[in-house]
Amino acid sequence: MAKDWTQYSNLYLHLFADCIAVRGAAKSAFCDLTRHEIITFPSEYYPVLEELLSDRIGSLLEKISSNPNKERILGFLNFLDENELVMLVDDKSAFPPLAENWDFPGQVQNAIIDISTVLHNFEKIFDELSALGCQHVQIRCFSNLLTLGICGPLLEKARHKSIQSIDLILKYEDGMPDETYVKFVESRPMIAAFAVHSAPLARRVVVDYAHPEFSDSAPLKEIRFTSQVIDSEIHCGLITQKYLTAPSVTTFFEAKSFNGCLNRKISVDADGNIKNCPSMKESFGNVRDTPLSSALHSTGFKDKWGIAKDQIAICRDCEFRYVCSDCRAYLEEPGNAFSKPLKCGYDPYTGTWEDWTRNPLKKKAAKFYGIKK
């Protein structure tokens, strides 16, 4: 039920600090950084939002009393209230905005390691990542070279390091029962996410690793099986609506000032080449003879860390720009570091999504990158 706003004449409307409005071309969005929700609204209401937050409720009601759009403005006011985006306060200065700064104590925050035909020296890699302060590692295997039997001892090498969590993407092992996958994850709390590609069927299997006393309230992990064949790094960089979710406060402000994908990242491709991302062409040495720290401090390695979405063509007009991972490896205009990601099908000027592979204007760029499907 809508509020009787006349009862709150002496109060101000104030956005919760963790509900941040982002203006886009056709649509704008509230990013709720606590509930991890994105709530969109037409951008024509953005000036209305600014007006509603500018004065006491009584003054606002007086201003809009003769406005021909009075009912629409009140409807938007109720929309804000019903979605729990705002609160009523008598002193706005008592509720300051969140500090929009970001930093990280290590030189590298996350890493990607790809495997295909060569099993890298993970003990050496984990040691070097730990020296850089790396906390999160994603390991992607495109073949059956990295089996569960090999993966177990490999992950042990990451213990007692700076690494706090590991994401695994492995190829399905024929005949491997779900129970074996589940036990593998249950016994290794370091695994934050686990996906199995090239599986016979796409499905999700729940892993309940909580103590029985807390099983009703503890979050559950899932093993995600996909029938998609992931045979190289070329599958990376996809941006779709289902991948968008409001992140944590720190991740949101990192994406606002830095590149959401590459900032504080280092990668090792399937051949051992050290890169910003395995999908990128430029290499800064090979792990067989180049320390990660040397590659990290090479000329040009950090150049793309600071490319934020407000600098990127089209993206700077998108309401999802601070919740998007972004991609600098596959671009609509190859060679232009400030071009929109190739694998994004969203048009912020119409507020609509399309399958990017069906866009004829993107086919030339896809061919350049060797993307055949």
Side-chain angles (χ1 to χ4, degrees), residues 49-215:
L49 172 66
E50 294 178 324
E51 182 69 22
L52 292 176
L53 299 175
S54 67
D55 208 342
R56 295 186 186 274
I57 296 292
S59 299
L60 293 172
L61 293 177
E62 187 176 339
K63 287 179 184 178
I64 68 174
S65 61
S66 58
N67 191 310
N69 294 315
K70 175 183 176 181
E71 294 305 317
R72 295 178 65 190
I73 296 172
L74 288 174
F76 184 64
L77 180 58
N78 291 326
F79 164 82
L80 297 174
D81 181 55
E82 290 165 3
N83 283 281
E84 299 178 320
L85 298 167
V86 292
M87 56 181 169
L88 293 165
V89 301
D90 57 3
D91 181 8
K92 294 198 295 182
S93 65
F95 302 91
L98 296 173
E100 294 193 13
N101 52 6
W102 181 90
D103 201 0
F104 176 72
Q107 298 181 63
V108 165
Q109 186 180 30
N110 58 92
I112 297 177
I113 305 171
D114 281 353
I115 303 167
S116 182
T117 60
V118 177
L119 194 60
H120 311 303
N121 183 343
F122 274 85
E123 185 170 10
K124 175 177 179 289
I125 291 174
F126 287 152
D127 283 343
E128 293 184 5
L129 286 176
S130 187
L132 296 173
C134 182
Q135 292 185 346
H136 311 289
V137 178
Q138 184 180 70
I139 299 172
R140 310 184 303 190
C141 188
F142 308 127
S143 67
N144 282 128
L145 182 63
L146 185 59
T147 62
L148 287 186
I150 296 175
C151 192
L154 183 151
L155 294 183
E156 286 297 307
K157 301 179 189 299
R159 295 186 64 188
H160 310 299
K161 303 286 192 297
S162 67
I163 300 166
Q164 297 179 2
S165 65
I166 292 180
D167 291 356
L168 285 177
I169 301 176
L170 303 183
K171 186 175 182 180
Y172 179 76
E173 296 182 45
D174 290 339
M176 183 69 70
D178 289 354
E179 183 180 349
T180 303
Y181 282 108
V182 170
K183 288 182 177 179
F184 182 84
V185 176
E186 283 179 341
S187 60
R188 293 168 177 84
M190 182 180 284
I191 298 176
F194 192 7
V196 181
H197 68 88
S198 307
L201 294 172
R203 64 193 192 283
R204 294 175 185 268
V205 175
V206 173
V207 177
D208 184 0
Y209 63 96
H211 188 281
E213 185 177 348
F214 306 106
S215 60

Side-chain angles (χ1 to χ4, degrees), residues 302-316:
K302 301 177 184 178
D303 286 355
K304 296 180 176 63
W305 285 10
I307 300 179
K309 293 306 276 288
D310 285 336
Q311 300 173 275
I312 298 173
I314 302 177
C315 297
R316 56 177 168 249

Side-chain angles (χ1 to χ4, degrees), residues 262-273:
L262 300 179
N263 185 46
R264 302 289 182 99
K265 174 180 283 182
I266 195 166
S267 301
V268 178
D269 74 6
D271 296 320
N273 297 311

Side-chain angles (χ1 to χ4, degrees), residues 209-324:
Y209 63 96
H211 188 281
E213 185 177 348
F214 306 106
S215 60
D216 291 338
S217 58
L220 298 177
K221 288 185 181 179
E222 287 185 333
I223 301 173
R224 184 168 63 88
F225 291 84
T226 175
S227 57
Q228 180 185 4
V229 176
I230 302 176
D231 52 8
S232 75
E233 74 285 343
I234 209 164
H235 298 275
C236 194
L238 183 63
I239 299 169
T240 66
Q241 192 171 11
K242 71 177 182 178
Y243 292 147
L244 297 176
T245 183
S248 65
V249 172
T250 54
T251 304
F252 180 88
F253 288 123
E254 179 188 10
K256 195 169 183 181
S257 300
F258 302 94
N259 184 265
C261 181
L262 300 179
N263 185 46
R264 302 289 182 99
K265 174 180 283 182
I266 195 166
S267 301
V268 178
D269 74 6
D271 296 320
N273 297 311
I274 305 170
K275 301 179 176 181
N276 288 133
C277 164
S279 296
M280 297 183 126
K281 296 186 181 300
E282 188 174 10
S283 171
F284 296 87
N286 192 285
V287 287
R288 290 190 294 272
D289 50 35
T290 303
L292 294 180
S293 59
S294 297
L296 181 70
H297 294 103
S298 296
T299 301
F301 188 92
K302 301 177 184 178
D303 286 355
K304 296 180 176 63
W305 285 10
I307 300 179
K309 293 306 276 288
D310 285 336
Q311 300 173 275
I312 298 173
I314 302 177
C315 297
R316 56 177 168 249
D317 297 322
C318 179
E319 68 272 25
F320 301 121
R321 60 189 179 273
Y322 305 138
V323 300
C324 173

